[in-house]
Amino acid sequence: MLEEAGFVLAPLVAGAALVLLGPRHGYETAAACFVAVMALYLAAAHRHHLTPTRNRAPAAVPRNPRRRWLGPLSLPGMPAILLPLLVMGALFGGTGILVPAYTQHEHATAWLGPLLAATSTGGVLGGIAYAALPWRSDLWHKYRILTLGLTTPALLLFLARPLWLLAILLLIAGLFVTPLFINAFLLTDATATDDMRIEANTWIGATADVANGIMATITGTLVQAQKWDTALLTLTCCAATGAAATLLQMSQHRARPARSDVGERQPAPAATGQPTPAVDARPAQVTAVSGVTDHHP
């Protein structure tokens, strides 16, 4: 939540600096703020003794060749966890390049801050709502619903030539960002085995970041040629892919035969990726939120 709030405040301040000070002095101001914040952070780390500690090396665990080369990707359920994060990262990377270029093209620099802050504004509101409202359901069902919530407004991005419509769509999509990250960390903890749990959690942020960089490059190429409609359509196609994959997973889940009562009362193995009915996700979300701050795209 704090990270999302920072992603709201920073674009608004940066946009105001660009409008009031101009590009050069706004950039210099941002650089000075960055250096000052890093100095304060290092001073706080020194004061609170935030130094790395050495843990004993874990005992060597024999791995099969598939796990050796694929790592956490070889675990059942991990690809399904990472797919929505790929879509999310692509949307972040594309809009991060498209918004500044498009506002400059439309001579509407005043829209830059609000547009860049729209997704994170939705993330703050969605995170508050997710924490406050009761939602009794298993993690996989939540994850699929949240993925559809993220991708549905993004399906209309190809229509978002008006800046106000682009802001609304980004705000609505952002409502599902923080809950998606929370559930991704919880599902990863339920899916990964002990020897891969830490590595599997790093894939959450890495997956979104890789997609972010790739889509930023693609969008930058299209924007350079001023192909705005193609850039928006590309983002729409990314969202459509995520929505279609999620709907396919939901249909396959419904098509599976119901398990017996005895099977339902037994906890699922950790490697299956399916949460156990007895797990209460609410207390675990405190840990998940702290992990989100380390891996946000």
Side-chain angles (χ1 to χ4, degrees):
M1 293 299 299
L2 289 173
E3 182 185 27
E4 291 293 346
F7 277 110
V8 174
L9 182 61
L12 295 177
V13 174
L18 288 173
V19 173
L20 298 176
L21 303 178
R24 177 179 176 179
H25 295 301
Y27 190 84
E28 293 170 348
T29 302
C33 291
F34 176 78
V35 172
V37 169
M38 288 304 299
L40 292 172
Y41 172 78
L42 293 175
H46 178 73
R47 178 180 179 182
H48 295 286
H49 306 289
L50 300 180
T51 56
T53 57
R54 293 184 178 181
N55 297 326
R56 290 181 298 175
V61 178
R63 292 185 179 182
N64 58 42
R66 189 164 178 260
R67 282 201 172 191
R68 177 182 179 185
W69 294 107
L70 296 180
L73 293 179
S74 64
L75 298 174
M78 279 302 295
I81 296 173
L82 298 180
L83 178 61
L85 301 175
L86 279 173
V87 177
M88 183 190 299
L91 294 176
F92 284 162
T95 55
I97 298 297
L98 177 69
V99 166
Y102 191 49
T103 52
Q104 184 179 8
H105 174 73
E106 295 292 315
H107 304 287
T109 310
W111 276 88
L112 178 59
L115 280 170
L116 289 176
T119 303
S120 291
T121 302
V124 172
L125 298 176
I128 294 173
Y130 182 78
L133 300 177
W135 187 3
R136 300 293 181 181
S137 183
D138 66 85
L139 290 175
W140 281 108
H141 180 70
K142 288 182 181 180
Y143 201 56
R144 292 170 183 137
I145 295 299
L146 292 170
T147 302
L148 291 178
L150 173 74
T151 55
T152 299
L155 293 174
L156 302 176
L157 283 175
F158 71 98
L159 300 174
R161 289 300 291 267
L163 294 176
W164 62 267
L165 179 58
L166 179 60
I168 291 175
L169 293 177
L170 293 178
L171 177 65
I172 296 175
L175 293 172
F176 303 91
V177 168
T178 300
L180 260 176
F181 268 108
I182 292 173
N183 278 263
F185 279 103
L186 293 175
L187 279 173
T188 301
D189 285 339
T191 299
T193 53
D194 290 339
D195 61 318
M196 286 190 176
R197 183 163 286 110
I198 296 177
E199 183 182 357
N201 274 274
T202 64
W203 274 88
I204 295 175
T207 300
D209 289 342
V210 168
N212 189 317
I214 293 174
M215 188 53 60
T217 304
I218 295 173
T219 305
T221 303
L222 295 174
V223 165
Q224 182 66 31
Q226 295 194 0
K227 295 182 179 180
W228 310 106
D229 291 334
T230 306
L232 290 169
L233 183 61
T234 302
L235 295 177
T236 300
C237 291
C238 292
T241 302
T246 302
L247 290 173
L248 180 61
Q249 292 174 2
M250 295 177 74
S251 63
Q252 290 176 346
H253 179 72
R254 292 195 187 100
R256 293 173 186 170
R259 295 179 298 176
S260 64
D261 293 337
V262 176
E264 288 180 356
R265 286 194 295 268
Q266 295 178 354
T272 62
Q274 298 296 333
T276 61
V279 172
D280 185 4
R282 288 299 175 186
Q285 288 175 4
V286 177
T287 304
V289 173
S290 65
V292 173
T293 62
D294 295 331
H295 305 289
H296 196 286

